[in-house]
Every structure is written in structure tokens, then in C-alpha cells.
Amino acid sequence: MDIKQLKFLIALDETRHFGQAAARCHITQPTLSMRLRSLEEELELPLVNRGQRFEGFTAPGERVLAWARTVLAAYDGLQAEAAACRGNLVGTLRLGVVPLSSFDPLPLMQRLHAEHPNLRFELSALSSEQILEQLANNRLDLGVSYLERLDGERFDSLAFSETRMGLLYDQRFYNFGEAPLNWESLIELPLGMLTSGMHFRQSIDHNFHSRGLTPQPLLQTDAVHQLLQAVHGGFCCAVMPLDSGLENLTDHLRLHPIENAQTLSRLGLIMRRSAPRSALAEACFAIYQKSQSES
């Protein structure tokens, strides 16, 4: 068994296709199949359900896949740790961010990249639950998520400032003057919202319901980009993080403050506490703390 076989197994899981997995790993499909069969023979377990195409993993294969991810994360962490001991950071920083986070990761990534040019970044949009699960399983190095009910024994965190809300709209179709909006005025507007399972939507619903209001959204979606497209087309307006910079995406978008509008919980930067802990995550934590002290 070698590390490449585990990489092949993970690539197959992520692509769900033998040919695409082989292309990702820069090998031929027969070579990929041969190496995976060799792994199965060594472990004396069937890992992959094979037909005319990839049909998923066997039950033992799913368990081996979880270990493969852990081993590969440890391997990458070892490489990053060795580079950090030499005064350099290499590898890929895996960052998970909840949808509609008011935290912009770009300045942090730019600063890290400027100090460590060999560093790469993998940015994923995930739910709060997915972020905590993947941090615990060492599939993410850092998360940006809500700190509500965070287990302080398992995770370290740095809290951000409170997330305020505003109404995003296209000025070609709407005009709200200068005064902040109130929730009562929003109820009459065509609203676009994220689906109800998302934390940001729950905060919006709480602000309406606590005032005895029941919104009837014109559009609900689990895709932020579709929501932004609908707003830009004048189809609807949407409640968004006030300091997110979304109004700068086009010349026509505006983000108008809403009175007494905050999310239910604060966002924060989250890192697992237990070893092995990513040297990349620790460096990122330190740089963010330093940037906050400088501002």
C-alpha cells in the first residue's frame, strides 16, 4: 500500500467516474483500476462496486475511504509541518465558509499568499454542520461558521464582529431613499431568500416572526449565485449581510441598512483543537489575530 493508492480512491469518490478520477490523477484508467484492485487484494476486501461504470463503494469501501482521507490529511499535514519548521508554508489551505457569511476571506488569502507564495487554497461553501464535521475529520483546516453551540473543548475560535443585515436591490427597479428600512416595510416587497434550513435564513425568519410578520418569499433557493442573479434582474430583493460587499458586484446593486437587523449568532474563524492540527490553520489563525490587532 502507498499514498498514491489512497489518493486514487479519494479521487474516485469525488468524481464518481473511473475516467475522470484517472484524469485528475494524471494516469490512465487501466492503471487506476489496476492500482485499486491491488489495494483490494492487499486488504482482502472488495472496495468498489463495478459494473459497466462506477456504481459506488461497498460498505467496507466506505469505511476504508474514511481512513484514507484521515491518512492523506495526516500526510499533507506532515509535509506542511516540515515546511513550517523550515520557515515556509506549502500545501493547500482548506477553508469552509457558510453561505452569505459577512466574512470576506480574500484579504486573508492575499496576505497568506504574499508571505507564502507556494501556498494554495481550497474554498468550499458548506453548512455549519458540514464545517464542524469536516473540521473534526481533518477534511478542512479552517471554518468560518456560526459560534452558536460550538463545543469549546473540541474547537478553537475567533469571534467576528456582529453581522448586521441590509436589503440588496437593483436601483434600476427600486428606490428606498436614505432612511434605514424597517421589517414592516419589507413584508410588502418581492423577496428572494435562501431555503429555510440555512442559518442565515433562520435569522431572517426570526426577525420577521418576532414582530408578528410572516414573509411570503417570491423565490427560495439554496444557491447564492441564483439569488444574486434574481436580484440583479429586478425579479426580487434580498436580505443580505450588510458589510459583505455584495453591492460592489455590479454598478446597479445597492445594499440598504435595515433597522435592528442582526443574525441570531456571531460568526467566527474555527479550528480543531486536537492533534494532528494543521500548521497552515495555525498560521492563518495567527495572521488573522495580528490583522485584527493592527486594525
Side-chain angles (χ1 to χ4, degrees):
M1 186 188 306
D2 61 45
I3 202 72
K4 287 185 178 180
Q5 287 172 300
L6 304 184
K7 290 182 178 180
F8 298 160
L9 196 68
I10 292 170
L12 183 59
D13 177 48
E14 292 177 347
T15 62
R16 318 299 287 184
H17 189 278
F18 285 107
Q20 293 177 16
R24 176 181 290 193
C25 298
H26 308 291
I27 58 173
T28 65
Q29 184 172 331
T31 299
L32 178 86
S33 297
M34 180 189 68
R35 295 301 304 278
L36 291 180
R37 287 192 184 278
S38 175
L39 181 62
E40 289 177 316
E41 291 171 2
E42 181 174 349
L43 296 175
E44 298 182 358
L45 287 171
L47 304 178
V48 180
N49 291 317
R50 294 175 175 84
Q52 291 185 336
R53 57 179 61 88
F54 175 73
E55 296 181 356
F57 291 94
T58 64
E62 293 285 355
R63 298 180 68 172
V64 169
L65 181 64
W67 277 104
R69 290 191 179 279
T70 299
V71 171
L72 193 58
Y75 174 82
D76 291 341
L78 186 153
Q79 297 284 353
E81 190 72 32
C85 291
R86 297 192 301 269
N88 189 25
L89 291 181
V90 299
T92 301
L93 178 71
R94 303 163 299 172
L95 177 63
V97 182
V98 291
L100 293 186
S101 165
S102 58
F103 174 76
D104 181 2
L106 182 58
L108 184 60
M109 291 191 295
Q110 288 174 325
R111 184 164 179 172
L112 278 165
H113 184 62
E115 296 183 16
H116 307 282
N118 293 321
L119 195 57
R120 297 292 179 264
F121 303 90
E122 184 178 297
L123 191 60
S124 303
L126 302 167
S127 69
S128 298
E129 293 77 12
Q130 289 172 322
I131 287 173
L132 295 180
E133 177 188 359
Q134 294 192 26
L135 283 171
N137 294 334
N138 215 3
R139 294 172 63 181
L140 286 177
D141 299 306
L142 289 173
V144 173
S145 184
Y146 295 96
L147 301 181
E148 184 181 39
R149 297 189 298 273
L150 184 70
D151 186 347
E153 293 185 358
R154 299 177 64 199
F155 301 101
D156 287 329
S157 64
L158 295 171
F160 302 150
S161 58
E162 193 171 51
T163 300
R164 297 180 299 144
M165 299 179 184
L167 185 73
L168 187 71
Y169 66 94
D170 191 308
Q171 66 173 347
R172 294 173 297 178
F173 304 95
Y174 302 94
N175 183 6
F176 298 107
E178 299 297 328
L181 298 168
N182 57 45
W183 290 96
E184 287 75 13
S185 65
L186 300 186
I187 203 73
E188 304 298 330
L189 296 174
L191 292 176
M193 295 185 181
L194 293 178
T195 49
S196 57
M198 297 188 177
H199 198 290
F200 193 81
R201 168 64 186 275
Q202 293 170 11
S203 293
I204 295 173
D205 286 345
H206 173 77
N207 276 282
F208 276 120
H209 295 159
S210 64
R211 293 167 174 83
L213 304 171
T214 303
Q216 300 293 330
L218 176 63
L219 169 68
Q220 296 187 78
T221 176
D222 60 359
V224 173
H225 73 279
Q226 290 179 342
L227 186 54
L228 293 175
Q229 286 175 336
V231 172
H232 184 252
F235 185 67
C236 60
C237 305
V239 179
M240 295 286 187
L242 189 59
D243 300 318
S244 58
L246 292 172
E247 72 275 20
N248 298 321
L249 292 176
T250 77
D251 292 336
H252 304 297
L253 291 178
R254 296 292 181 269
L255 195 50
H256 201 99
I258 302 171
E259 291 179 344
N260 302 315
Q262 294 85 28
T263 54
L264 292 170
S265 175
R266 286 199 175 195
L267 285 165
L269 193 64
I270 304 172
M271 174 174 60
R272 61 181 278 165
R273 301 195 75 174
S274 60
R277 189 159 77 172
S278 165
L280 303 183
E282 291 179 344
C284 189
F285 238 53
I287 286 178
Y288 181 75
Q289 282 181 307
K290 183 178 180 181
S291 68
Q292 292 302 101
S293 65
E294 292 173 349
S295 60

PDB file of all heavy atoms in Angstrom, residues 7-24:
ATOM      1  N   LYS A   7      -4.873   8.226  -2.687  1.00  0.00           N
ATOM      2  CA  LYS A   7      -5.279   9.381  -3.487  1.00  0.00           C
ATOM      3  C   LYS A   7      -6.204   8.959  -4.617  1.00  0.00           C
ATOM      4  O   LYS A   7      -7.178   9.658  -4.933  1.00  0.00           O
ATOM      5  CB  LYS A   7      -4.047  10.095  -4.050  1.00  0.00           C
ATOM      6  CG  LYS A   7      -3.218  10.831  -3.012  1.00  0.00           C
ATOM      7  CD  LYS A   7      -2.036  11.544  -3.663  1.00  0.00           C
ATOM      8  CE  LYS A   7      -1.233  12.331  -2.632  1.00  0.00           C
ATOM      9  NZ  LYS A   7      -0.064  13.030  -3.253  1.00  0.00           N
ATOM     10  N   PHE A   8      -5.926   7.798  -5.236  1.00  0.00           N
ATOM     11  CA  PHE A   8      -6.774   7.305  -6.319  1.00  0.00           C
ATOM     12  C   PHE A   8      -8.176   6.993  -5.785  1.00  0.00           C
ATOM     13  O   PHE A   8      -9.184   7.293  -6.434  1.00  0.00           O
ATOM     14  CB  PHE A   8      -6.170   6.049  -6.945  1.00  0.00           C
ATOM     15  CG  PHE A   8      -4.817   6.251  -7.570  1.00  0.00           C
ATOM     16  CD1 PHE A   8      -3.980   5.167  -7.799  1.00  0.00           C
ATOM     17  CD2 PHE A   8      -4.378   7.514  -7.932  1.00  0.00           C
ATOM     18  CE1 PHE A   8      -2.738   5.344  -8.373  1.00  0.00           C
ATOM     19  CE2 PHE A   8      -3.122   7.705  -8.505  1.00  0.00           C
ATOM     20  CZ  PHE A   8      -2.298   6.611  -8.734  1.00  0.00           C
ATOM     21  N   LEU A   9      -8.225   6.394  -4.603  1.00  0.00           N
ATOM     22  CA  LEU A   9      -9.510   6.038  -4.001  1.00  0.00           C
ATOM     23  C   LEU A   9     -10.341   7.287  -3.715  1.00  0.00           C
ATOM     24  O   LEU A   9     -11.542   7.336  -3.998  1.00  0.00           O
ATOM     25  CB  LEU A   9      -9.262   5.257  -2.711  1.00  0.00           C
ATOM     26  CG  LEU A   9     -10.437   4.472  -2.124  1.00  0.00           C
ATOM     27  CD1 LEU A   9     -10.809   3.308  -3.024  1.00  0.00           C
ATOM     28  CD2 LEU A   9     -10.099   3.966  -0.727  1.00  0.00           C
ATOM     29  N   ILE A  10      -9.708   8.317  -3.173  1.00  0.00           N
ATOM     30  CA  ILE A  10     -10.410   9.568  -2.859  1.00  0.00           C
ATOM     31  C   ILE A  10     -10.850  10.276  -4.139  1.00  0.00           C
ATOM     32  O   ILE A  10     -11.955  10.818  -4.213  1.00  0.00           O
ATOM     33  CB  ILE A  10      -9.504  10.476  -2.007  1.00  0.00           C
ATOM     34  CG1 ILE A  10      -9.304   9.847  -0.621  1.00  0.00           C
ATOM     35  CG2 ILE A  10     -10.096  11.879  -1.882  1.00  0.00           C
ATOM     36  CD1 ILE A  10      -8.254  10.524   0.210  1.00  0.00           C
ATOM     37  N   ALA A  11      -9.992  10.259  -5.173  1.00  0.00           N
ATOM     38  CA  ALA A  11     -10.360  10.875  -6.456  1.00  0.00           C
ATOM     39  C   ALA A  11     -11.584  10.188  -7.054  1.00  0.00           C
ATOM     40  O   ALA A  11     -12.466  10.845  -7.627  1.00  0.00           O
ATOM     41  CB  ALA A  11      -9.179  10.802  -7.424  1.00  0.00           C
ATOM     42  N   LEU A  12     -11.668   8.875  -6.919  1.00  0.00           N
ATOM     43  CA  LEU A  12     -12.831   8.144  -7.422  1.00  0.00           C
ATOM     44  C   LEU A  12     -14.090   8.543  -6.657  1.00  0.00           C
ATOM     45  O   LEU A  12     -15.170   8.690  -7.241  1.00  0.00           O
ATOM     46  CB  LEU A  12     -12.584   6.639  -7.311  1.00  0.00           C
ATOM     47  CG  LEU A  12     -13.692   5.730  -7.867  1.00  0.00           C
ATOM     48  CD1 LEU A  12     -13.932   6.010  -9.348  1.00  0.00           C
ATOM     49  CD2 LEU A  12     -13.331   4.262  -7.649  1.00  0.00           C
ATOM     50  N   ASP A  13     -13.967   8.732  -5.364  1.00  0.00           N
ATOM     51  CA  ASP A  13     -15.112   9.156  -4.563  1.00  0.00           C
ATOM     52  C   ASP A  13     -15.577  10.549  -4.973  1.00  0.00           C
ATOM     53  O   ASP A  13     -16.772  10.820  -5.054  1.00  0.00           O
ATOM     54  CB  ASP A  13     -14.735   9.133  -3.079  1.00  0.00           C
ATOM     55  CG  ASP A  13     -15.864   9.634  -2.190  1.00  0.00           C
ATOM     56  OD1 ASP A  13     -17.010   9.173  -2.381  1.00  0.00           O
ATOM     57  OD2 ASP A  13     -15.612  10.475  -1.323  1.00  0.00           O
ATOM     58  N   GLU A  14     -14.652  11.440  -5.259  1.00  0.00           N
ATOM     59  CA  GLU A  14     -15.007  12.826  -5.554  1.00  0.00           C
ATOM     60  C   GLU A  14     -15.539  13.003  -6.971  1.00  0.00           C
ATOM     61  O   GLU A  14     -16.352  13.898  -7.228  1.00  0.00           O
ATOM     62  CB  GLU A  14     -13.795  13.731  -5.323  1.00  0.00           C
ATOM     63  CG  GLU A  14     -13.408  13.831  -3.846  1.00  0.00           C
ATOM     64  CD  GLU A  14     -12.169  14.676  -3.601  1.00  0.00           C
ATOM     65  OE1 GLU A  14     -11.464  14.985  -4.590  1.00  0.00           O
ATOM     66  OE2 GLU A  14     -11.916  15.014  -2.430  1.00  0.00           O
ATOM     67  N   THR A  15     -15.092  12.170  -7.911  1.00  0.00           N
ATOM     68  CA  THR A  15     -15.551  12.291  -9.298  1.00  0.00           C
ATOM     69  C   THR A  15     -16.675  11.327  -9.633  1.00  0.00           C
ATOM     70  O   THR A  15     -17.458  11.586 -10.563  1.00  0.00           O
ATOM     71  CB  THR A  15     -14.390  12.038 -10.266  1.00  0.00           C
ATOM     72  OG1 THR A  15     -13.903  10.693 -10.087  1.00  0.00           O
ATOM     73  CG2 THR A  15     -13.251  13.027 -10.043  1.00  0.00           C
ATOM     74  N   ARG A  16     -16.739  10.195  -8.891  1.00  0.00           N
ATOM     75  CA  ARG A  16     -17.730   9.148  -9.138  1.00  0.00           C
ATOM     76  C   ARG A  16     -17.631   8.612 -10.560  1.00  0.00           C
ATOM     77  O   ARG A  16     -18.624   8.189 -11.167  1.00  0.00           O
ATOM     78  CB  ARG A  16     -19.160   9.642  -8.873  1.00  0.00           C
ATOM     79  CG  ARG A  16     -19.353  10.493  -7.638  1.00  0.00           C
ATOM     80  CD  ARG A  16     -18.980   9.753  -6.366  1.00  0.00           C
ATOM     81  NE  ARG A  16     -19.948   8.726  -6.000  1.00  0.00           N
ATOM     82  CZ  ARG A  16     -19.874   8.001  -4.875  1.00  0.00           C
ATOM     83  NH1 ARG A  16     -18.855   8.211  -4.033  1.00  0.00           N
ATOM     84  NH2 ARG A  16     -20.779   7.092  -4.596  1.00  0.00           N
ATOM     85  N   HIS A  17     -16.418   8.604 -11.115  1.00  0.00           N
ATOM     86  CA  HIS A  17     -16.219   8.181 -12.508  1.00  0.00           C
ATOM     87  C   HIS A  17     -14.770   7.734 -12.670  1.00  0.00           C
ATOM     88  O   HIS A  17     -13.842   8.473 -12.312  1.00  0.00           O
ATOM     89  CB  HIS A  17     -16.520   9.360 -13.443  1.00  0.00           C
ATOM     90  CG  HIS A  17     -16.561   9.002 -14.889  1.00  0.00           C
ATOM     91  ND1 HIS A  17     -15.424   8.880 -15.662  1.00  0.00           N
ATOM     92  CD2 HIS A  17     -17.617   8.736 -15.710  1.00  0.00           C
ATOM     93  CE1 HIS A  17     -15.769   8.567 -16.895  1.00  0.00           C
ATOM     94  NE2 HIS A  17     -17.092   8.471 -16.951  1.00  0.00           N
ATOM     95  N   PHE A  18     -14.574   6.519 -13.204  1.00  0.00           N
ATOM     96  CA  PHE A  18     -13.214   5.991 -13.317  1.00  0.00           C
ATOM     97  C   PHE A  18     -12.341   6.852 -14.227  1.00  0.00           C
ATOM     98  O   PHE A  18     -11.189   7.162 -13.890  1.00  0.00           O
ATOM     99  CB  PHE A  18     -13.261   4.550 -13.857  1.00  0.00           C
ATOM    100  CG  PHE A  18     -13.712   3.533 -12.849  1.00  0.00           C
ATOM    101  CD1 PHE A  18     -14.967   2.959 -12.939  1.00  0.00           C
ATOM    102  CD2 PHE A  18     -12.881   3.151 -11.808  1.00  0.00           C
ATOM    103  CE1 PHE A  18     -15.393   2.026 -12.002  1.00  0.00           C
ATOM    104  CE2 PHE A  18     -13.287   2.216 -10.873  1.00  0.00           C
ATOM    105  CZ  PHE A  18     -14.557   1.648 -10.972  1.00  0.00           C
ATOM    106  N   GLY A  19     -12.883   7.237 -15.384  1.00  0.00           N
ATOM    107  CA  GLY A  19     -12.089   8.024 -16.324  1.00  0.00           C
ATOM    108  C   GLY A  19     -11.715   9.384 -15.785  1.00  0.00           C
ATOM    109  O   GLY A  19     -10.574   9.834 -15.928  1.00  0.00           O
ATOM    110  N   GLN A  20     -12.677  10.060 -15.122  1.00  0.00           N
ATOM    111  CA  GLN A  20     -12.392  11.385 -14.567  1.00  0.00           C
ATOM    112  C   GLN A  20     -11.419  11.302 -13.395  1.00  0.00           C
ATOM    113  O   GLN A  20     -10.563  12.181 -13.227  1.00  0.00           O
ATOM    114  CB  GLN A  20     -13.706  12.044 -14.125  1.00  0.00           C
ATOM    115  CG  GLN A  20     -14.635  12.390 -15.277  1.00  0.00           C
ATOM    116  CD  GLN A  20     -15.956  12.962 -14.804  1.00  0.00           C
ATOM    117  OE1 GLN A  20     -16.097  13.381 -13.653  1.00  0.00           O
ATOM    118  NE2 GLN A  20     -16.952  12.967 -15.680  1.00  0.00           N
ATOM    119  N   ALA A  21     -11.544  10.247 -12.597  1.00  0.00           N
ATOM    120  CA  ALA A  21     -10.600  10.059 -11.491  1.00  0.00           C
ATOM    121  C   ALA A  21      -9.192   9.846 -12.015  1.00  0.00           C
ATOM    122  O   ALA A  21      -8.217  10.390 -11.478  1.00  0.00           O
ATOM    123  CB  ALA A  21     -11.037   8.883 -10.623  1.00  0.00           C
ATOM    124  N   ALA A  22      -9.072   9.049 -13.070  1.00  0.00           N
ATOM    125  CA  ALA A  22      -7.753   8.803 -13.660  1.00  0.00           C
ATOM    126  C   ALA A  22      -7.165  10.094 -14.225  1.00  0.00           C
ATOM    127  O   ALA A  22      -5.978  10.385 -14.033  1.00  0.00           O
ATOM    128  CB  ALA A  22      -7.866   7.741 -14.761  1.00  0.00           C
ATOM    129  N   ALA A  23      -7.997  10.881 -14.902  1.00  0.00           N
ATOM    130  CA  ALA A  23      -7.512  12.142 -15.478  1.00  0.00           C
ATOM    131  C   ALA A  23      -7.065  13.099 -14.386  1.00  0.00           C
ATOM    132  O   ALA A  23      -6.039  13.781 -14.527  1.00  0.00           O
ATOM    133  CB  ALA A  23      -8.620  12.777 -16.330  1.00  0.00           C
ATOM    134  N   ARG A  24      -7.806  13.148 -13.278  1.00  0.00           N
ATOM    135  CA  ARG A  24      -7.421  14.022 -12.169  1.00  0.00           C
ATOM    136  C   ARG A  24      -6.066  13.615 -11.604  1.00  0.00           C
ATOM    137  O   ARG A  24      -5.286  14.478 -11.180  1.00  0.00           O
ATOM    138  CB  ARG A  24      -8.482  13.988 -11.073  1.00  0.00           C
ATOM    139  CG  ARG A  24      -8.096  14.791  -9.849  1.00  0.00           C
ATOM    140  CD  ARG A  24      -9.137  14.722  -8.758  1.00  0.00           C
ATOM    141  NE  ARG A  24     -10.350  15.449  -9.104  1.00  0.00           N
ATOM    142  CZ  ARG A  24     -11.300  15.751  -8.212  1.00  0.00           C
ATOM    143  NH1 ARG A  24     -11.177  15.372  -6.951  1.00  0.00           N
ATOM    144  NH2 ARG A  24     -12.380  16.416  -8.583  1.00  0.00           N
TER     145      ARG A  24
END
